[in-house]
């Protein structure tokens, strides 16, 4: 049974998919380089402690290994942490501007009743050393362009802030579990269950009322900011409003305001985010293709206090979206298959190289049975659907046309000189 | 990006919930003239041309809404728990109310030191519940007439939806534990909620009035 070779949550990428994927990668590499970002790579393994210490990812979602020295390793479950560590190791001045991008696979042992991919291919950017709204703006701009550059027409960015909810809940005494449960309900905009949750807990009624407003705190920015201002119960929350207004002003002046809506009713499962968080959606797809945000405290863990902001594109889900909407056009160069007899070897190889140097695909096979039978067998195979077939035999060149071999005067774009006798 | 004139597409779970929802829709002013229970049509549009619904199997509702094939959907909480989807669970409609329960013969004991065999259509919910109470179990997935399980000795107890309790009673079973309350939810696509706000908000408001 072939299925024995399939591991749940992991998949092969077929050649068609791979072409699409590398096309996306090329366009993103070009985009990020042009914004001054430098590509880096981090190891596939991370130390387990890295993730468990700061509680970024639940321990049971990691793929763990023991190294020969007895150290616990994990398959990299997230790229940002690794890149932040790398920046900390190589750049010691906390005010240095460091712009990096990466392409990597990450591994997560998600528990879900459905089919969930456990290996994800990501490409992302991280901007270290700047804490301004303009830096947030650049990151959001690049996130939008990441989808636009690949032909996605409808791009929608949800901007939020992890602080707003947290600063509000800081006013209440609640356990971590309760907080997590409430976050989940707010994120799902599950008003009915939030009401139920609040009624079974004895919280300050004033704060409870504000909690009920959070899920609906989205939409037109001016309106959202006005509503947010009214809901602030402490200085920190007011700072959030100020920060987001400044970001919005920036986006307006660079012509990106039409892509964004504000939504203060979501948080992130990645708990290293400290300020802005955002998700980018393509078309009507409910699962975001890009996730990002600001993480000003993460680098402290590696000994350097530096602000940073970044995002990651889920390449496979972007690829799925593009395929589903017929937005991937991979152009294959012309493809010639040359069959030859021993006596015509030199000329065949020479022709094949000439074809290749002009950007064509050329393959050579030696004739070991009836040429027409060989061609028929190849032409029926999936990888040779678009190929043209030629036979080099006894100084002649024949082309396979309408189930027959006829004399050829050119191969693809190359004209053949008559054989000199 | 002008989606202003687009219809709102709604996915409904076939069966009880759909019937009740269509009655509700009528109450709030959406009339579907060509809909009848016997109809073989798959998509129905209301008289104003602003709302369109289609019937799908309940586990698919979340999928349709998540992927944006539908803007909103109505489906039971049990289904959302068993088949999670990336959607906003905006309203508890309080229709199709029932409970997810552990049921079995009256004298069946749920004891932490004894492994139970549990038959259910909801393996995920059941597993989650028994893990929470540290009860060791063997789960058997059964697709229908779950009540037969304990009677035929296939399992010690079942996890299933209980509405009136009639089916249980008629088969000599009782509710042993109540797991959670179930009712229908109005779910909304992440993007539609924001880009089609003008059309979705009034529908949500009208449902809200009925629900609370």
């Amino acid at each position: 049974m072939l299925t024995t070779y399939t591991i749940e949550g992991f998949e092969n990428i077929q050649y068609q998919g791979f072409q699409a994927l590398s096309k996306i990668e090329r366009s993103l590499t070009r985009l990020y380089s042009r914004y001054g970002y430098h590509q880096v790579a981090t190891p596939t393994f991370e130390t387990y402690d890295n993730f468990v210490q700061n509680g970024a990812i639940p321990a049971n979602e990691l793929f763990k290994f023991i190294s020969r020295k007895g150290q616990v390793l994990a398959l990299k479950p997230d790229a940002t942490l690794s890149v932040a560590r790398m920046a900390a190791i190589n750049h010691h001045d906390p005010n240095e501007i460091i712009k990096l991008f990466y392409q990597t696979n990450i591994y997560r042992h998600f528990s879900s009743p459905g089919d969930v991919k456990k290996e994800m291919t990501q490409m992302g950017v991280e901007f270290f050393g700047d804490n301004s709204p303009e830096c947030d703006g650049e990151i959001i701009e690049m996130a939008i362009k990441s989808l636009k550059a690949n032909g996605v027409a409808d791009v929608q960015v949800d901007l939020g802030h992890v602080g707003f909810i947290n600063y509000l809940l800081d006013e209440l005494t609640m356990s971590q579990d309760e907080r997590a449960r409430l976050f989940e309900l707010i994120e799902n905009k599950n008003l009915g269950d939030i009401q139920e949750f609040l009624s079974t807990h004895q919280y300050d009624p004033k704060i409870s009322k504000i909690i009920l407003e959070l899920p609906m705190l989205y939409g037109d920015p001016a309106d959202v900011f006005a509503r947010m201002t009214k809901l602030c119960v402490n200085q920190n929350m007011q700072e959030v409003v100020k920060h987001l207004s400044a970001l919005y002003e920036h986006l307006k002046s660079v012509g990106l305001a039409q892509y964004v809506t504000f939504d203060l009713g979501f948080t992130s499962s990645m708990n290293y985010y400290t300020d802005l968080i955002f998700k980018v959606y393509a078309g009507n797809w409910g699962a975001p293709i890009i996730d990002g945000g600001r993480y000003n405290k993460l680098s402290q863990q590696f000994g350097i206090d530096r602000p940073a902001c970044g995002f990651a594109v889920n390449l496979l889900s972007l690829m799925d979206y593009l395929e589903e909407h017929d937005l991937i056009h991979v152009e294959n160069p012309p493809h010639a298959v040359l069959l030859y007899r021993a006596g015509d070897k030199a000329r065949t190889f020479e022709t094949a190289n000439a074809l290749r140097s002009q950007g064509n695909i050329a393959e050579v096979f030696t004739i070991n049975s009836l040429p027409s039978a060989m061609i028929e067998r190849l032409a029926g195979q999936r990888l040779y659907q678009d190929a043209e077939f030629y036979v080099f035999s006894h100084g002649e060149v024949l082309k396979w046309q309408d189930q027959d071999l006829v004399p050829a005067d050119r191969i693809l774009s190359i004209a053949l000189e008559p054989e000199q006798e | 990006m002008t989606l202003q004139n687009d219809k709102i597409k709604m996915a409904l779970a076939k069966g009880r919930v759909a019937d009740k929802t269509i009655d509700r829709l009528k109450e709030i002013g959406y009339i579907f003239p060509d809909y009848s229970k016997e109809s073989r049509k798959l998509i129905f549009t209301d008289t104003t041309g602003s709302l369109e619904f289609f019937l799908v199997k309940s586990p698919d509702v979340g999928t349709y809404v998540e992927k944006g094939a539908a803007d909103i959907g109505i489906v039971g909480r049990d289904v959302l728990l068993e088949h999670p989807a990336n959607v906003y669970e905006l309203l508890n409609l309080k229709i199709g109310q029932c409970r997810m329960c552990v049921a079995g013969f009256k004298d069946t004991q749920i004891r932490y030191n004894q492994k139970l065999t549990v038959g259910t259509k909801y393996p995920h919910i059941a597993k989650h519940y028994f893990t929470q109470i540290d009860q060791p179990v063997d789960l058997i997935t059964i697709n229908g007439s779950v009540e037969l399980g304990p009677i035929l000795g296939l399992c010690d107890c079942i996890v299933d939806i209980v509405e009136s309790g009639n089916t249980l009673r008629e088969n000599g079973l009782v509710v042993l534990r109540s797991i959670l309350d179930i009712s229908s939810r109005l779910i909304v696509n992440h993007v539609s909620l924001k880009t089609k706000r003008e059309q979705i908000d009034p529908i949500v408001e009208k449902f809200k009035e009925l629900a609370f």
Side-chain angles (χ1 to χ4, degrees):
Chain A
M1 277 257 287
L2 282 172
T3 48
T4 10
Y5 297 110
T6 316
I7 314 166
E8 208 183 296
F10 294 87
E11 56 187 27
N12 298 318
I13 297 174
Q14 293 283 346
Y15 46 89
Q16 305 95 324
F18 198 85
Q19 280 183 325
L21 194 61
S22 41
K23 198 177 169 207
I24 297 171
E25 281 170 16
R26 275 198 304 277
S27 83
L28 294 182
T29 304
R30 204 160 44 222
L31 176 70
Y32 302 154
S33 315
R34 286 180 186 172
Y35 272 83
Y37 288 69
H38 305 279
Q39 186 158 16
V40 295
T42 58
T44 306
F45 291 105
E46 272 295 337
T47 57
Y48 171 77
D49 297 345
N50 236 346
F51 293 95
V52 174
Q53 258 169 21
N54 73 354
I57 291 159
N60 58 3
E61 281 187 9
L62 298 175
F63 286 90
K64 296 172 273 286
F65 302 87
I66 310 285
S67 79
R68 284 174 70 171
K69 288 182 185 164
Q71 202 179 13
V72 185
L73 303 176
L75 279 180
K76 184 166 53 190
D78 177 72
T80 301
L81 206 119
S82 311
V83 176
R85 192 199 47 200
M86 182 176 177
I89 293 172
N90 296 331
H91 303 267
H92 295 192
D93 174 4
N95 296 316
E96 204 176 333
I97 295 288
I98 311 153
K99 298 182 179 187
L100 303 176
F101 77 96
Y102 58 84
Q103 193 256 310
T104 188
N105 283 8
I106 61 164
Y107 303 86
R108 219 64 96 68
H109 203 70
F110 290 113
S111 64
S112 164
D115 281 343
V116 184
K117 281 180 194 152
K118 293 175 181 167
E119 179 178 39
M120 280 170 291
T121 307
Q122 285 190 337
M123 214 160 156
V125 306
E126 314 290 354
F127 185 159
F128 297 94
D130 193 339
N131 194 22
S132 65
E134 285 75 20
C135 168
D136 291 343
E138 175 169 312
I139 293 297
I140 290 163
E141 182 175 330
M142 286 167 67
I144 295 169
K145 287 192 180 164
S146 298
L147 298 191
K148 287 266 167 194
N150 283 290
V152 179
D154 295 335
V155 177
Q156 160 79 23
V157 187
D158 275 6
L159 295 178
H161 196 291
V162 288
F164 203 69
I165 300 181
N166 278 304
Y167 299 144
L168 178 68
L169 298 190
D170 285 347
E171 300 278 322
L172 303 172
T173 332
M174 63 197 315
S175 70
Q176 279 305 318
D177 282 354
E178 282 171 355
R179 204 181 254 238
R181 173 77 188 132
L182 192 56
F183 275 163
E184 192 190 327
L185 293 175
I186 292 174
E187 192 149 348
N188 289 334
K189 302 204 185 298
N190 193 336
L191 288 178
D193 290 354
I194 295 174
Q195 240 160 11
E196 219 177 283
F197 179 89
L198 293 173
S199 65
T200 54
H201 293 80
Q202 307 297 324
Y203 297 135
D204 180 351
K206 198 181 96 199
I207 307 286
S208 294
K209 226 179 119 212
I210 301 176
I211 293 176
L212 273 172
E213 300 272 333
L214 288 178
M216 292 298 123
L217 210 47
Y218 65 86
D220 172 57
D223 174 47
V224 171
F225 294 148
R227 275 151 64 202
M228 279 173 78
T229 312
K230 274 188 227 151
L231 298 180
C232 292
V233 293
N234 52 38
Q235 183 70 29
N236 283 338
M237 290 173 82
Q238 282 157 6
E239 290 296 324
V240 173
V241 183
K242 243 193 262 169
H243 189 98
L244 290 183
S245 313
L247 171 60
Y248 183 64
E249 285 308 314
H250 169 76
L251 292 173
K252 254 200 320 209
S253 49
V254 296
L256 293 171
Q258 76 269 27
Y259 296 109
V260 304
T261 50
F262 284 85
D263 183 348
L264 276 299
F266 74 94
T267 54
S268 171
S269 62
M270 302 307 296
N271 68 358
Y272 48 66
Y273 290 124
T274 51
D275 296 78
L276 170 83
I277 43 171
F278 64 93
K279 302 180 195 184
V280 188
Y281 297 94
N284 242 9
W285 269 27
I289 288 182
I290 300 178
D291 270 293
R294 175 166 283 285
Y295 48 97
N296 287 348
K297 300 271 175 349
L298 184 63
S299 295
Q300 275 175 8
Q301 184 177 333
F302 308 112
I304 292 179
D305 190 4
R306 67 161 52 109
C309 190
F311 66 77
V313 186
N314 183 337
L315 289 187
L316 296 182
S317 95
L318 176 57
M319 185 172 92
D320 286 347
Y321 180 87
L322 296 177
E323 265 173 7
E324 203 163 288
H325 293 79
D326 209 13
L327 290 168
I328 293 181
H329 308 287
V330 178
E331 281 187 20
N332 289 319
H335 183 182
V337 174
L338 315 180
L339 285 76
Y340 65 92
R341 290 195 192 280
D344 300 274
K345 189 184 248 176
R347 189 186 179 199
T348 311
F349 275 68
E350 200 180 304
T351 314
N353 281 329
L355 285 166
R356 288 176 193 132
S357 68
Q358 291 191 12
N360 303 299
I361 300 172
E363 294 181 63
V364 292
F365 292 99
T366 155
I367 294 173
N368 52 17
S369 66
L370 202 62
S372 58
M374 278 182 75
I375 291 173
E376 272 174 357
R377 203 174 57 236
L378 274 175
Q381 294 178 18
R382 283 234 307 268
L383 294 174
Y384 292 91
Q385 293 300 313
D386 60 348
E388 290 186 10
F389 296 90
Y390 297 89
V391 174
F392 286 66
S393 175
H394 307 300
E396 270 187 304
V397 181
L398 304 167
K399 185 182 182 191
W400 181 252
Q401 208 169 348
D402 305 323
Q403 309 295 310
D404 205 2
L405 285 167
V406 295
D409 54 356
R410 54 172 48 249
I411 296 181
L412 302 178
S413 53
I414 294 185
L416 292 169
E417 291 157 30
E419 189 83 341
Q420 295 140 5
E421 284 295 329
Chain B
M1 243 199 336
T2 44
L3 299 160
Q4 256 37 321
N5 300 321
D6 278 6
K7 275 184 249 189
I8 293 299
K9 287 181 287 216
M10 178 152 106
L12 292 182
K14 263 183 208 164
R16 241 168 0 114
V17 172
D19 298 340
K20 283 189 185 156
T21 308
I22 292 157
D23 290 344
R24 282 284 167 95
L25 284 169
K26 225 180 268 172
E27 282 173 47
I28 60 178
Y30 292 101
I31 314 285
F32 297 90
D34 44 359
Y35 174 76
S36 73
K37 270 181 206 170
E38 293 74 33
S39 173
R40 290 294 183 90
K41 269 183 78 168
L42 292 171
I43 299 182
F44 304 92
T45 310
D46 87 313
T47 44
T48 64
S50 59
L51 184 67
E52 177 179 278
F53 79 82
F54 49 91
L55 296 171
V56 296
K57 284 229 170 193
S58 57
D60 299 338
V61 174
T63 315
Y64 276 86
V65 176
E66 177 182 325
K67 293 282 181 188
D71 300 299
I72 57 183
I74 291 177
V75 65
R77 186 181 177 199
D78 51 323
V79 180
L80 286 175
L81 288 171
E82 197 62 35
H83 306 274
N86 250 321
V87 295
Y88 292 131
E89 214 178 307
L90 215 53
L91 283 183
N92 181 347
L93 296 176
K94 312 218 165 140
I95 54 178
Q97 282 179 309
C98 49
R99 275 180 309 160
M100 183 67 68
C101 293
V102 185
F105 292 117
K106 207 163 64 193
D107 53 359
T108 305
Q109 300 272 341
I110 300 181
R111 276 194 303 239
Y112 71 92
N113 55 359
Q114 200 176 12
K115 197 169 185 174
L116 279 177
T117 308
V118 181
T120 183
K121 265 190 280 188
Y122 303 93
H124 184 61
I125 295 174
K127 189 173 161 192
H128 184 76
Y129 172 70
F130 288 113
T131 312
Q132 256 184 349
I133 62 165
D134 288 327
Q135 170 68 41
V137 287
D138 271 337
L139 286 176
I140 303 176
T141 306
I142 309 175
N143 287 308
S145 309
V146 186
E147 294 80 9
L148 271 176
I151 297 171
L152 298 179
L154 178 67
C155 49
D156 300 317
C157 59
I158 59 173
V159 167
D160 204 13
I161 282 180
V162 178
E163 198 174 8
S164 61
N166 283 339
T167 321
L168 289 182
R169 254 192 308 281
E170 278 171 30
N171 291 294
L173 304 176
V174 295
V175 170
L176 299 170
R177 297 275 175 91
S178 182
I179 299 179
L180 47 89
D181 290 325
I182 305 284
S183 60
S184 289
R185 301 301 165 105
L186 177 80
I187 58 173
V188 183
N189 175 273
H190 279 173
V191 178
S192 301
L193 184 72
K194 283 152 192 167
T195 55
K196 297 189 179 177
R197 191 163 189 194
E198 280 147 54
Q199 298 111 293
I200 288 180
D201 274 2
I203 299 174
V204 173
E205 278 309 313
K206 284 176 186 165
F207 269 109
K208 208 190 241 172
E209 282 163 28
L210 287 174
F212 292 110

